[in-house]
Amino acid sequence: MSMPQSPVQWRQVKAWVFDLDGTLLDSRPDILAAASDTLVDYGHAPLPAGYQLPNLFGTAGELVRDVFVERGYPAPTDLVRLRAEFEAHYAAQNPSQARLYDGVPQWLDWARQQGVALGICTNKLERLARDGMQQLDIAEGFGAITGSDTYGVGKPSPEPLLRTLVQLGVAPQETLFFGDTHADAACAQAAGVRFAWHSVGYGDARVQALPQVLRYAGYGELLHQVGAQQPALSL
C-alpha cells in the first residue's frame, strides 16, 4: 500500500540530498561484475547472466554476503575482508558501465542556478562515490558527499544524513532527500527529512509503506514541476 503524498512546495526546499546508486546513476552492471569477481575469489562460480542481486540497498559487505547466501554458499564471516575485496573489484572496472539516469545533469544544473545546496548520502564508500561522480562529471557544486565509511554507519540509520545536513548548514525541515529504496526512506523518516522516491531505481515494495512527499520516475517530470512553480520560487 502506497503512502499518501502531499505536493512539494519547492520554494521551501533549501537543500537537496541524494542517494547515489539507483537514484542519480544506474551502477547495477558494475555492482554485478564486482560481486561475481568476489565469488570467484572465494572459489565459487561466477554469477550467471541476468542474475538479480538480492540486496541493492545495504553496505558493500552486506550486499555481497547476501549474494553468497542466495547462491547457497557459506557466508563469509569476515565482512571487512569481504567488503574490501568487493570494493577493489568495483574500483578496478575500466571502463565503468555506470550511467546517469536521463535528465540528471539538467536537474542538478537547475539546482545550482537557483542556489540550492546539494549533498550526497550513499552507502558506498565515500572515495568510490567521489570517483564515480568525477567520472560522470556531476561532482561540481556538491557541498557534502558522505559514504558508509565517512561516519562509520550506513543507512537506514539517520546519522549519515543528519551529519550531511550539518555539513551543508541546513535543517532537516529545509531538506528533500532523493532515494530509491526502503533504506533511504527509513533514513529520511528517522532524520525528520522529507523523502522523494525514485521509483525506477533499485527499491521494492517495502519503500511504498514509508512516508514520501513525492514519487517520480524521471528527472524530466521534476523539471516540469519546478518550471510550473518558477514564478513563486524563493530559495
Side-chain angles (χ1 to χ4, degrees):
M1 179 178 177
S2 297
M3 293 290 294
Q5 300 176 22
S6 51
V8 175
Q9 299 300 316
W10 292 100
R11 62 184 174 182
Q12 299 174 7
V13 182
K14 295 185 178 180
W16 297 351
V17 179
F18 298 87
D19 171 54
L20 197 55
D21 302 286
T23 300
L24 290 181
L25 60 94
D26 182 4
S27 56
R28 193 188 307 259
D30 287 352
I31 295 171
L32 183 62
S36 185
D37 289 342
T38 305
L39 282 180
V40 172
D41 286 345
Y42 282 78
H44 304 304
L47 293 172
Y51 178 76
Q52 297 297 310
L53 289 156
N55 177 353
L56 277 167
F57 53 85
T59 60
E62 296 165 343
L63 182 155
V64 187
R65 178 200 60 200
D66 288 355
V67 172
F68 276 77
V69 172
E70 191 281 329
R71 300 305 289 168
Y73 303 136
T77 56
D78 187 346
L79 286 187
V80 174
R81 175 191 167 196
L82 185 65
R83 182 184 72 179
E85 294 190 3
F86 169 83
E87 287 164 347
H89 286 301
Y90 186 92
Q93 294 180 72
N94 187 19
S96 166
Q97 299 181 70
R99 64 172 185 83
L100 295 174
Y101 287 103
D102 291 343
V104 165
Q106 295 85 354
W107 185 235
L108 297 179
D109 283 346
W110 188 92
R112 295 179 187 113
Q113 292 165 14
Q114 300 299 319
V116 179
L118 296 175
I120 292 289
C121 182
T122 175
N123 269 354
K124 71 195 314 175
L125 287 182
E126 180 183 332
R127 171 180 55 83
L128 294 180
R130 290 182 180 276
D131 289 349
M133 292 172 68
Q134 290 286 352
Q135 291 172 19
L136 293 167
D137 197 26
I138 60 167
E140 179 186 354
F142 280 86
I145 300 173
T146 60
S148 62
D149 61 322
T150 307
Y151 299 111
V153 62
K155 299 171 290 185
S157 167
E159 185 174 350
L161 178 55
L162 289 171
R163 293 204 181 192
T164 301
L165 301 190
V166 170
Q167 288 191 46
L168 294 175
V170 295
Q173 63 268 23
E174 298 173 320
T175 305
L176 190 61
F177 182 44
F178 298 79
D180 65 307
T181 73
H182 65 282
D184 298 320
C187 170
Q189 181 183 29
V193 173
R194 288 167 288 179
F195 179 66
W197 178 32
H198 186 223
S199 60
V200 296
Y202 304 155
D204 55 29
R206 288 172 289 183
V207 70
Q208 299 185 52
L210 292 163
Q212 54 191 258
V213 296
L214 176 66
R215 172 180 176 174
Y216 67 102
Y219 290 89
E221 67 182 78
L222 296 185
L223 285 165
H224 177 75
Q225 282 192 32
V226 296
Q229 293 186 33
Q230 181 71 30
L233 285 175
S234 180
L235 297 172

